[in-house]
Amino acid sequence: VTKAQNVDSNLPIIGTSAIYRLAKDGSAAKGNPFVGEMAKYYAYGIRNSFGMDFDPVTGKLWDTENGPYWADEINIVERGFNSGWKKIQGLSYIQVPYALEQGELNDLVNFDGKGKYSEPEFVWAETLGVTAIKFLNSNKLGKNYENDVFVGDFDLGNIYHFDLINNRTALFLDNKLADKMADNRDELKDVIFGYGFGAIVDIEVGPDGYLYILSLYEAKDKCDPKIVFSDCYDFSSNDIRGSIFRIVPKNN
């Protein structure tokens, strides 16, 4: 619990809650925003991130983060990005399960102005173990999916699909998601691309231009986005297998 977690303490920074940017020899890359014990950091205040990817159009870095038991996030990670943990999880103005105290947003550690907090681009109010994030830099699933964002979760085995706004600085969200937050599972319906994939841990684009999904547990036909993860999987079984899925158009 150090300044890298937005706690104003004198404890040494030990390399956690970070996104690093490194040179080939493992040293701090030139142009990093911080110096000293933070020299290798590109961003900080990160909580349990299991995925990141670069937008193939703009080159901007995006990540996913898991909340403690609320508010999984999708973020754009600019140079010097402060994700806010552990003062803020989710949207600062819609804190779940408690309201942000007045002035707390100004109490974040900013390392002499080099660190800058920005709000998440999307939040799941219920943490579902959001993991992989991938831009589909291919038109193999159709032009309407090209360069869009795909995100997987561990708990439900869902794949989420998001369009971006024209200048690609935010996700295109409307209707119940216009406030950038899914308050419940019902609100996720518009962005669920597929479900029943098991515990998704990675998403990649293959040389063939199709999406590949890596799951820690095999999919089950009875899985449904409305039911809980434990109803889909029997963890007492000795016959739980991982799976790799290849997503292709229906007519292929």
Side-chain angles (χ1 to χ4, degrees):
V1 183
T2 72
K3 291 180 180 179
Q5 292 84 34
N6 289 289
V7 176
D8 194 11
S9 73
N10 292 321
L11 294 174
I13 291 170
I14 58 173
T16 62
S17 300
I19 293 177
Y20 293 91
R21 183 170 173 269
L22 305 173
K24 288 183 179 180
D25 63 359
S27 63
K30 291 182 179 180
N32 278 0
F34 308 108
V35 297
E37 58 186 350
M38 291 277 290
K40 295 182 179 181
Y41 276 41
Y42 185 76
Y44 66 103
I46 313 291
R47 189 193 188 280
N48 276 27
S49 181
F50 289 93
M52 63 179 182
D53 196 24
F54 290 91
D55 183 333
V57 178
T58 67
K60 289 186 179 295
L61 176 62
W62 293 61
D63 83 346
T64 62
E65 294 180 37
N66 289 180
Y69 57 92
W70 73 90
D72 288 355
E73 301 177 357
I74 299 176
N75 294 287
I76 296 179
V77 182
E78 301 281 6
R79 181 177 180 271
F81 171 65
N82 176 7
S83 193
W85 180 256
K86 64 194 216 89
K87 291 285 182 67
I88 299 171
Q89 184 67 30
L91 297 162
S92 68
Y93 49 90
I94 313 177
Q95 283 292 277
V96 181
Y98 56 86
L100 193 68
E101 295 180 8
Q102 187 174 5
E104 194 168 3
L105 187 60
N106 297 324
D107 291 337
L108 298 176
V109 177
N110 63 23
F111 297 99
D112 297 322
K114 295 182 176 67
K116 297 178 181 179
Y117 172 78
S118 61
E119 300 286 352
E121 298 306 313
F122 187 72
V123 173
W124 288 256
E126 173 193 9
T127 184
L128 297 175
V130 172
T131 52
I133 180 170
K134 178 58 60 176
F135 287 86
L136 179 60
N137 57 337
S138 161
N139 63 6
K140 286 298 187 71
L141 296 183
K143 292 292 292 183
N144 55 322
Y145 291 116
E146 187 175 8
N147 295 320
D148 289 355
V149 179
F150 291 82
V151 176
D153 78 43
F154 190 94
D155 287 4
L156 298 180
N158 289 340
I159 301 173
Y160 306 95
H161 163 248
F162 298 93
D163 288 309
L164 281 75
I165 63 174
N166 288 338
N167 66 6
R168 304 184 70 83
T169 58
L171 302 176
F172 177 78
L173 301 166
D174 58 5
N175 300 321
K176 293 181 179 180
L177 299 182
D179 63 355
K180 294 189 174 185
M181 186 165 75
D183 296 297
N184 51 59
R185 296 185 189 183
D186 185 63
E187 290 192 1
L188 289 171
K189 288 179 180 178
D190 289 346
V191 291
I192 291 178
F193 175 77
Y195 61 87
F197 287 90
I200 297 170
V201 292
D202 197 13
I203 301 175
E204 294 293 339
V205 179
D208 57 7
Y210 295 120
L211 283 175
Y212 287 74
I213 314 298
L214 177 63
S215 173
L216 188 60
Y217 300 114
E218 63 183 329
K220 299 290 186 183
D221 291 338
K222 67 177 182 177
C223 283
D224 184 279
K226 294 181 181 178
I227 64 178
V228 297
F229 183 57
S230 58
D231 291 338
C232 294
Y233 304 92
D234 179 9
F235 288 102
S236 64
S237 170
N238 293 321
D239 192 33
I240 297 177
R241 298 177 293 254
S243 306
I244 296 175
F245 302 90
R246 179 172 176 259
I247 309 300
V248 300
K250 188 175 181 179
N251 58 358
N252 279 31

